[in-house]
């Protein structure tokens, strides 16, 4: 294990970014989000939850798929360059890292989404263990250990050091580039921090949320529960929960005319909360907000696990719990439907 | 490469002028029949009344690379539709003030009242506006970066 | 349970039991004290989950747009600032006031849990206000904060404690007026140079994730179909695919609600990125006041807003943009 | 996708000299959607139109773009041609490559490029055009003439002659207008009253003409063919149907201090009066400002004396509402106020008078019974000096920038008449230019100089002042290049004329445009000189621009011909470019109705089908296409974009914007 003095972190980031693009949580106008580190940027490593998850790096909110060029009355298609420069993604939390697995199962399954794949392959992911989880966190429910995230490199941070443990070959080669800045050691400090974190996690109010209801009951039974109406009543149909969610993966394909003879076809995040979600020529199969609301949670807790060996498409990051304007969230849904076990 | 740098140096702004059919478009016609010139980069869109101009049109123009947008209508009180330009006046006073509040240069937008009889005024206004936009340079603050440079050959 | 909440629940139960109303719109308790959600109650049994506390910041008036579509009479609890939105909705025929019983409820400023957390307090389990202080409990320890430091932004610039409309009111403790200058934020920006303003808004707006929370919570944004969702409109966008689209969305949205925005502050409350969206709407309000005379949308449920009115002597756009003061 | 044909007009050399029309036509061929492109010398010619018609048929065009002169010029021409070839006329768009391009740019490359952009922009628009069909609206077969001067009288008589009902609304107690005040008329010197009064009588006697004197237009609603006009009938305090015009009341009225407007305030009249002997209607009116009974409640003499009981002191203003198909504006003029022209001393010296005052002083029915006596002492003036262009062609803020057109001729008339009647009088005229175009006009002026020995001095007057009872007119003689001072007994100022100020309000009510001098604007200075840009509104007389009696009468008759042409139709095609609300998006918020100047928008409750067999009733906007004028104010007020304007749809305008910005 290596460790870097906290006051050497900027040097660390400068060293990495001198060679490879580096993405990490940065502060921008008071909020923390992943962004490209440049000299002078403000790292926001102390922030537990960035507003958006790092899925943006692999599945950007909007991404060009291709361009159409017209020449007189002829049309040519231009595909974007899929060669992505290798980059380092730093500071990913355990829950967000787990979310990549959820996304991989969608985008890397046949047919492979090459746009996603190329970026995924290009990334060296450095995770950062949580040390101060909060009340909205419930990663434990999904078997995630926030104190020991995976990734090419795992790091821990306390007041004095950043501890560094390479896990993969990619991780090792990144380590070689920064070794000069590091000292050896830190196992004890990490173990101490992990213990404290795990103790707190055990005490978090949602850590023992029971989702067995969604595994034990049939799709139709869950789908037809009368509580959906009441649960969804206050929903504003905004897309906050889906856009801050690390596992939401729906997108829409749109076009933009970028020049007289050029059209950009791009994809952008869509939200199942929106009234035009899955709109088809013949109309929409979900016409009420209740139906749309139900779709989101059915997908996370029922449909996705059914197709992915029981893996929930929620990692308990708690962003939706924090950000829903009207304080609706997956925890409330799980409790209302899987009710009795919580009383 | 040479030509690219050359075109860059010789900035020719794109200017969109919305003109009401009854006064300002006719004023532009009169400027034409009186052979009162103004820069060719001023291009006119005919609307029935200045009150037809939706803020979205103005933004669309900037998005697509316009460097200046000017609205021309009948003088207040002379609107062919009685009150149309009074609404224009309020809407655009607020909108243009708002754009400036967002940091958009206030001279990039303008409202002028030009009657059907004011061909000379039309030409003078367009000359002046084009000059001012030239001084301001390219619109960089309210533009869609996906929109390609059109080269302004 | 606080006294006011008790009184509200009692009144709601009466109304439902006496069949005076078929539905009551209020707040329902969540997992903590700080996460109540708006909710509808149709029987007095359901009222056990009713909550009215320091975190009931949500403006319930917009829910009436949908609720009014079904038959039956509805009682709604509105804080003073929310009542303006109600009037505006009635004015625009979006809510049928005959169907609604407005019950004004007292408000002493609502708290912002995100602000509490931003004070470095994680894993919050409770927060209670008393005498200008907020006692916060958390898994990491307890803390006491100044109420003013953790008020919702909209409450910092409270419009006042007057109910613009109310069929009845429940006010047990006298509401103290807050002294504030709600335009100081706008003024500070106006004083900046164009470049500084542009940089400020660029940084703020570039955070926008186009979740539409600001629009969807806004009581003035009640279009059946928003231009930004309508592919036929020519301006529809779904993502901030370019910085321009963030600008476009927020400019058009602010313009569409200009003269109709009551300054309820919900847009800023719900923004997941804490973009000070109220500073956009408030610029329009300030300019309307400056140019066309003081105007408070939702003061009454009739009359015209300043953008569908005019005076022959109105300021010219050139001088208006340059800060001319002209009204009445 | 549309199949678009593009036609580039040379307009002789008007376009072709600056724009490479062949290149434009050639490059445009490459545009998506364009299946035909041609250039031609004169597209508006019969052959040009034929080219367009043939192409529409041969290439099955669904859209047409003509690159030519302004759409204000020939849009209608090309639409008609397209229609005759079976294409919906609203599938035609004009790219204005003459007024907005070839005429203002000199550089051929630059102009050609701009022309290309303009044509492409029109293509972008026409791509989104949809066929539009004009609706029909009925025509009310009655005309309104506002103003009862010679213009109004002539228009009314001509319209009535064709068999249509017509109302004259006159704000004064009698019709006749300014012409009734004149003594003789140039260039024939026949008596004004002698030629006017028979026409006034004809009006009164026509069963088609309803004369509403002492009345004003209060409100106008509607549109061509369907105007609804509210008229205020001012309280006259005399029952028109009873009064016989015997004048007993006038003789007995104790209040005699009212200034006689008809005589340009040169003498007084009783509080109850008939403006002049030939007034139509020949009915008295009470001036409430002067009437002792109305002011103090004590008097009532006229009521006692009236043998038919026509006097009614309790009379109130009444409002009537009538429907009209067409409106003629003939509100006339007044001399401008010259009190502030200090150099002429008009307000200080009683013997400095205006030409219209001189008319009254020379008129047999005037304050001096036609004997020319000067106002100050009633003596016969021996030296009379005329000053021309007082307030006309004046670029300072005091006067008017335009030529009042009639002054040169009436001054020649006055000078001649004075010299003839009083040969011992010396007459001088200071002038800038003498402008006498017109049949027998120059001859008339020369007679004044040559036969009547009127002394014309080219030069401006700098100052008029009183010295020992003489009016010293100090001016320059530009021909002799000297300063002259003429000691005069009377000075006559040829005062500029301006539109009657009430025309402003009328213009606003009619939505007729008005220029900076308050003259109503014609739809086209050459091709539509008697029509206002507002359909169904016509202009006669000085309200449109300075003119003399023959011109006024011609214009009035021209108006009448236009009105008759309109009223002869049973229905009119309405403008199909009107607003329309997409009910599925409309919120029913009423904002659009609030900005509609025409009251074209109403609301209806409409049932909509939702999914799953459910329905929902919503309040939605409905636009009456016959009432909507197509301004588009509502479209911007509508936040959801449910309201759009046909022919100028948001998407069309935005596609034009895109094309321009991306050219």
């Amino acid at each position: 294990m290596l460790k870097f003095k906290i006051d050497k972190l900027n040097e660390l980031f400068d060293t990495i970014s001198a060679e490879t693009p580096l993405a990490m949580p940065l502060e921008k106008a008071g909020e923390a989000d992943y962004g490209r580190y440049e000299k002078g940027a403000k790292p926001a490593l102390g922030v537990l939850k960035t507003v958006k998850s790092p899925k943006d790096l692999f599945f950007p909110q909007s991404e060009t798929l291709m361009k159409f060029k017209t020449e007189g009355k002829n049309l040519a298609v231009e595909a974007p360059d899929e060669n992505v420069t290798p980059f380092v993604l730093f500071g990913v939390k355990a829950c967000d890292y787990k979310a990549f697995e959820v996304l991989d199962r969608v985008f890397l399954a046949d047919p492979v989404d090459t746009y996603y794949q190329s970026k995924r392959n290009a990334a060296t992911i450095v995770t950062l263990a949580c040390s101060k989880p909060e009340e909205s966190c419930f990663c434990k429910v999904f078997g995630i250990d926030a104190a020991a995230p995976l990734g090419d490199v795992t790091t821990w941070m306390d007041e004095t050091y950043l501890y560094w443990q390479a896990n993969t070959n990619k991780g090792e080669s990144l380590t070689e580039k920064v070794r000069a800045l590091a000292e050896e050691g830190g196992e004890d400090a990490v173990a101490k921090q992990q213990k404290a974190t795990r103790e707190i996690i055990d005490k978090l109010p949602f850590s023992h949320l029971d989702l067995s209801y969604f595994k034990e009951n049939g799709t139709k039974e869950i789908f037809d529960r009368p509580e959906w109406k009441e649960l969804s009543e206050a929903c504003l149909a905004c897309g906050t929960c889906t856009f801050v969610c690390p596992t939401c993966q729906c997108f829409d394909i749109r076009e933009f005319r970028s020049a007289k003879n050029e059209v950009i076809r791009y994809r952008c995040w869509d939200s199942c909360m929106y009234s035009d979600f899955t709109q088809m020529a013949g109309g929409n199969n979900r016409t009420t907000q209740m139906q749309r609301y139900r779709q989101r949670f059915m997908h996370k807790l029922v449909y996705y696990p059914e197709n992915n060996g029981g893996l929930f498409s929620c990692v308990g990051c708690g962003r939706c719990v924090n950000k829903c304007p009207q304080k609706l969230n997956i925890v409330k849904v799980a409790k209302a439907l899987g009710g009795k076990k919580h009383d | 490469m040479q030509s690219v740098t050359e075109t860059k140096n010789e900035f020719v702004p794109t200017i969109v002028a919305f003109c009401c059919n009854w006064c300002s478009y006719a004023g532009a016609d009169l400027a034409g029949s009186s052979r009162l010139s103004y820069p060719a980069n001023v291009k006119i869109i005919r609307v029935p009344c200045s009150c037809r101009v939706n803020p979205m049109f103005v933004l669309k123009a900037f998005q697509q690379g316009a460097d200046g947008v000017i609205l021309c209508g009948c003088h207040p009180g002379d609107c062919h539709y009685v009150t149309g330009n009074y609404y224009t006046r309020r809407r655009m006073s607020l909108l243009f003030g708002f754009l400036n509040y967002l940091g958009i240069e206030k001279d990039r937008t303008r409202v002028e009242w030009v009657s059907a009889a004011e061909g000379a005024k039309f030409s003078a206004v367009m000359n002046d506006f084009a000059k001012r936009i030239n001084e301001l340079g390219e619109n960089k603050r309210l533009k869609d970066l996906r929109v390609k440079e059109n080269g302004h050959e | 349970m606080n006294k006011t909440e008790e009184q509200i629940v009692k009144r709601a139960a009466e109304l439902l039991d006496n069949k005076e109303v078929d539905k009551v719109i209020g707040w329902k308790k969540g997992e903590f004290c700080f996460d109540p959600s708006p909710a509808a109650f149709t029987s007095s049994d359901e009222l056990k989950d009713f909550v009215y506390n320091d975190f009931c910041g949500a403006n319930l008036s917009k829910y009436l747009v949908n609720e009014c579509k079904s038959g039956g009479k509805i009682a709604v609890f509105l804080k003073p600032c929310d009542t303006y939105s109600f009037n505006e909705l009635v004015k625009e025929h979006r809510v049928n006031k005959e169907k609604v019983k407005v019950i004004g409820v007292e408000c002493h400023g609502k708290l912002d849990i995100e602000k509490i957390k931003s004070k470095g307090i994680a894993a919050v389990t409770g927060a209670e206000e008393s005498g200008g202080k907020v006692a916060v409990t958390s898994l990491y320890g307890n803390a006491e904060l100044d109420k003013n430091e953790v008020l919702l932004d909209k409450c910092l610039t409270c419009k006042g404690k007057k109910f613009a409309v109310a069929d009845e009111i429940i006010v047990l403790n006298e509401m103290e007026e807050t002294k504030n200058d709600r335009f100081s934020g706008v003024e500070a920006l106006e004083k900046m140079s164009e470049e500084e303003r542009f940089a400020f808004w660029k940084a703020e707006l570039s955070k926008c994730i186009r979740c539409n929370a600001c629009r969807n919570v806004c009581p003035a944004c009640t279009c059946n179909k928003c231009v930004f969702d309508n592919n036929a409109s020519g301006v529809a966008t779904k993502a901030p695919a370019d910085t321009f689209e963030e600008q476009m969305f927020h400019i058009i949205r602010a313009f569409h609600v200009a003269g109709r925005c009551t300054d309820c502050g919900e847009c800023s409350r719900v923004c997941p990125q804490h973009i000070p969206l109220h500073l956009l709407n408030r610029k329009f309000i300030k300019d309307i006041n400056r140019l066309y005379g003081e105007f408070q949308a939702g003061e009454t449920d009739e009359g015209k807003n300043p953008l569908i009115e005019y005076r022959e002597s109105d300021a010219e756009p050139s001088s208006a943009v340059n800060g001319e003061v002209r009204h009445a | 996708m549309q199949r678009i044909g593009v036609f580039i007009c040379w307009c002789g050399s008007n376009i072709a000299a600056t724009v490479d029309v062949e290149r434009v036509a050639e490059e445009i061929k490459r545009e998506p959607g364009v299946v035909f492109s041609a250039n031609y010398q004169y597209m508006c010619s019969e052959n040009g139109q034929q080219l367009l018609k043939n192409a529409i048929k041969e290439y099955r065009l669904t859209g047409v773009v003509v690159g030519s002169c302004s759409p204000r010029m020939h849009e209608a021409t090309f639409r008609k041609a397209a229609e005759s070839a079976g294409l919906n006329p609203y599938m035609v768009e004009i790219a204005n490559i003459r007024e907005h391009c070839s005429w203002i740019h000199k550089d051929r490359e630059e102009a050609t490029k701009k022309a290309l952009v303009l044509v492409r922009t029109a293509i972008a628009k026409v791509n989104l055009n949809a066929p539009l069909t004009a609706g029909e609206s009925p025509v009310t077969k009655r005309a309104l003439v506002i103003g009862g001067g010679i213009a109004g009288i002539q228009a009314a008589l001509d319209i009535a002659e064709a068999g249509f009902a017509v109302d004259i609304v006159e704000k004064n107690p009698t019709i006749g207008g300014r012409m009734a005040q004149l003594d003789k008329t140039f260039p024939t010197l026949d008596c004004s009253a002698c030629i006017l009064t028979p026409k006034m009588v004809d009006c009164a006697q026509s069963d088609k003409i309803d004369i509403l004197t002492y009345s004003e237009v209060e409100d106008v609603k509607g549109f061509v063919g369907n105007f609804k006009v509210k008229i205020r009938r001012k309280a006259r305090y005399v029952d028109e149907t009873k009064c016989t015009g015997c004048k007993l009341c006038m003789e007995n009225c104790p209040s005699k201090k009212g200034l006689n407007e008809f005589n340009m305030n040169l003498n007084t009249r009783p509080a109850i009066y008939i403006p002049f002997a030939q007034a139509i209607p020949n009915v008295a009116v009470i001036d409430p400002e002067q009437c002792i009974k109305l002011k103090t409640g004590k008097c009532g003499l006229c009521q006692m004396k009236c043998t038919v009981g026509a006097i009614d002191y309790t009379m109130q203003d009444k409002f009537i509402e009538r429907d009209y198909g067409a409106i003629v504006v003939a509100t006339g003029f007044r001399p401008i106020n010259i009190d502030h022209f200090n150099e002429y001393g008009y307000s200080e010296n009683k013997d400095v008078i205006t030409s219209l005052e001189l008319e009254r002083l020379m008129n047999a029915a005037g304050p001096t019974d036609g004997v020319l006596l000067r106002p100050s002492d009633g003596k016969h003036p021996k030296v009379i000096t005329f000053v021309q262009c007082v307030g006309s062609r004046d670029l300072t803020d005091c006067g008017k920038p335009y030529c009042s057109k009639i002054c040169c001729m009436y001054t020649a008339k006055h000078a001649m008449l004075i010299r003839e009647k009083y040969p011992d009088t010396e007459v001088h005229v200071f002038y800038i230019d003498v402008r006498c175009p017109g049949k027998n006009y120059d001859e008339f002026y020369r007679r004044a100089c040559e036969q009547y020995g009127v002394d014309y001095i080219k030069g401006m007057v700098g100052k008029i002042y009183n010295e020992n009872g003489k009016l010293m007119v100090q001016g320059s003689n530009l021909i002799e290049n000297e300063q002259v001072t003429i000691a005069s007994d009377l000075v006559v100022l040829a005062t500029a004329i301006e539109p009657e100020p009430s025309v402003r309000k009328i213009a606003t009510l009619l939505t007729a445009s008005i220029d900076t001098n308050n003259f109503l604007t014609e739809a086209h200075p050459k091709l539509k000189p008697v029509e206002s840009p507002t359909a169904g509104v016509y202009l006669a007389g000085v309200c449109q621009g300075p003119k003399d009696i023959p011109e006024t009468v011609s214009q009035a008759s021209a108006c009448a011909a236009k009105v008759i042409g309109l009223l002869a139709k049973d229905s009119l095609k309405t403008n199909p470019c009107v607003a329309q609300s997409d009910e599925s998006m409309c919120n029913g918020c009423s904002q659009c109705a609030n900005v509609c100047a025409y009251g074209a928008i109403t609301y209806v409750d409409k049932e909509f089908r939702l999914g799953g067999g459910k329905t929902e009733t919503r309040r939605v906007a409905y636009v009456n296409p016959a009432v909507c004028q197509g301004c588009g104010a509502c479209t911007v007020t509508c936040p959801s974009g449910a309201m759009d304007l046909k022919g100028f749809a948001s998407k069309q305008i935005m596609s034009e914007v895109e094309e321009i910005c991306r050219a």
Side-chain angles (χ1 to χ4, degrees), chain C residues 188-206:
Chain C
L189 278 163
E190 284 172 340
K191 279 187 191 125
M192 292 182 187
S193 68
E194 278 172 358
E195 290 73 21
E196 288 167 330
R197 276 203 296 273
F198 179 71
F200 172 83
W201 284 113
K202 192 180 169 190
E204 288 295 344
L205 294 182
S206 65

Side-chain angles (χ1 to χ4, degrees), chain B residues 21 29 37 46 64 82 150, chain D residues 70 72 75 100 511 661-662:
Chain B
N21 183 50
D29 281 357
S37 77
R46 183 165 71 129
Q64 304 295 331
V82 200
N150 45 28
Chain D
S70 172
R72 295 170 53 85
E75 187 175 59
H100 295 185
T511 75
C661 294
R662 290 182 169 187

Side-chain angles (χ1 to χ4, degrees), chain D residues 69-350:
Chain D
C69 55
S70 172
R72 295 170 53 85
M73 192 69 84
H74 277 308
E75 187 175 59
T77 311
F78 295 124
R79 279 184 172 169
K80 227 165 130 187
E83 192 171 23
S84 75
L87 182 68
N88 183 287
Y90 293 91
M91 298 306 291
V92 176
E93 287 294 333
I94 309 294
N96 185 345
I97 59 168
R98 191 180 75 176
E99 282 85 345
H100 295 185
C101 185
S102 70
W103 274 352
I104 47 169
H105 306 310
K106 288 199 180 73
D107 184 84
R108 192 169 165 81
E109 179 64 18
E110 189 180 57
T112 304
K113 276 197 173 144
K114 180 169 178 180
L116 269 164
V117 174
L118 296 180
V119 174
R120 284 198 191 112
T121 304
I123 292 172
K125 186 178 183 196
V126 92
N127 258 320
L128 298 168
N129 278 21
L132 301 177
T133 318
E136 286 197 348
S137 66
V139 177
T140 306
K141 301 203 175 249
R142 176 186 280 269
L144 169 67
V145 173
I146 306 173
I150 181 59
I153 289 169
Q154 185 64 44
L157 285 172
D158 288 351
I159 294 166
E161 181 71 16
F164 294 107
V166 49
D167 294 353
I168 300 176
V169 169
E170 167 58 53
K171 72 174 170 14
N172 292 315
T174 171
I175 60 168
R178 291 289 171 201
M179 187 172 171
Q181 290 178 290
L182 305 182
D183 182 32
K184 300 275 190 311
T185 57
F186 60 78
T188 46
L189 294 182
D190 39 4
C191 153
S192 188
C194 309
I195 54 176
L196 175 66
T197 42
K199 284 190 181 284
M200 290 165 65
V201 173
D202 285 350
C203 282
Q205 285 174 351
S206 168
D207 58 351
K208 293 285 179 194
I209 300 177
D210 193 359
I211 301 172
L212 305 170
T213 53
Y214 214 45
S215 299
E216 282 174 38
V217 172
E218 278 294 309
D219 193 24
V220 181
K221 285 205 172 74
F223 52 97
V224 57
N226 293 279
F227 292 107
K228 247 193 185 9
V229 180
K230 190 169 157 195
I231 299 161
R232 177 198 290 270
R233 305 224 57 196
K234 290 182 281 188
R236 195 173 188 125
Y237 306 103
V238 176
D239 188 336
E240 265 187 76
T241 57
K242 289 182 184 160
C243 175
T244 60
C246 71
K247 299 190 180 159
L248 259 177
C249 53
M250 289 174 70
E251 285 154 22
N252 286 288
C253 179
S255 162
K256 298 210 189 283
K257 288 195 187 125
L259 290 174
N260 188 339
E261 303 89 348
F262 185 71
N263 281 338
M264 298 309 291
N265 299 345
L266 289 168
N267 64 350
T268 57
R269 52 147 176 80
I272 185 164
Y273 67 103
I274 295 174
F276 55 94
Q278 301 90 339
I280 298 279
N282 191 16
V283 170
V285 57
I286 295 179
D287 176 354
E289 298 293 308
Q290 296 296 327
C291 175
I292 298 165
K293 173 74 179 174
L294 286 173
K295 284 203 311 200
T296 66
K298 291 181 203 126
C299 184
L301 257 178
C302 53
Q303 196 174 41
M304 284 190 278
K305 294 287 174 185
C306 182
T307 53
V308 291
I311 315 271
D312 175 6
Y313 300 117
T314 64
M315 202 180 263
Q316 298 285 323
D317 289 6
K318 272 189 220 130
F319 294 93
I320 58 169
E321 218 175 76
R322 286 198 181 161
D323 294 345
Y324 300 101
I327 297 175
V328 175
V329 186
T331 46
F333 71 96
R334 66 170 189 188
I336 65 165
N337 183 343
I338 51 168
D339 286 343
H340 53 282
F341 285 84
N342 295 329
E343 65 269 38
Y344 300 127
Y346 173 76
S347 34
E348 290 94 66
N349 299 301
K350 275 190 154 181

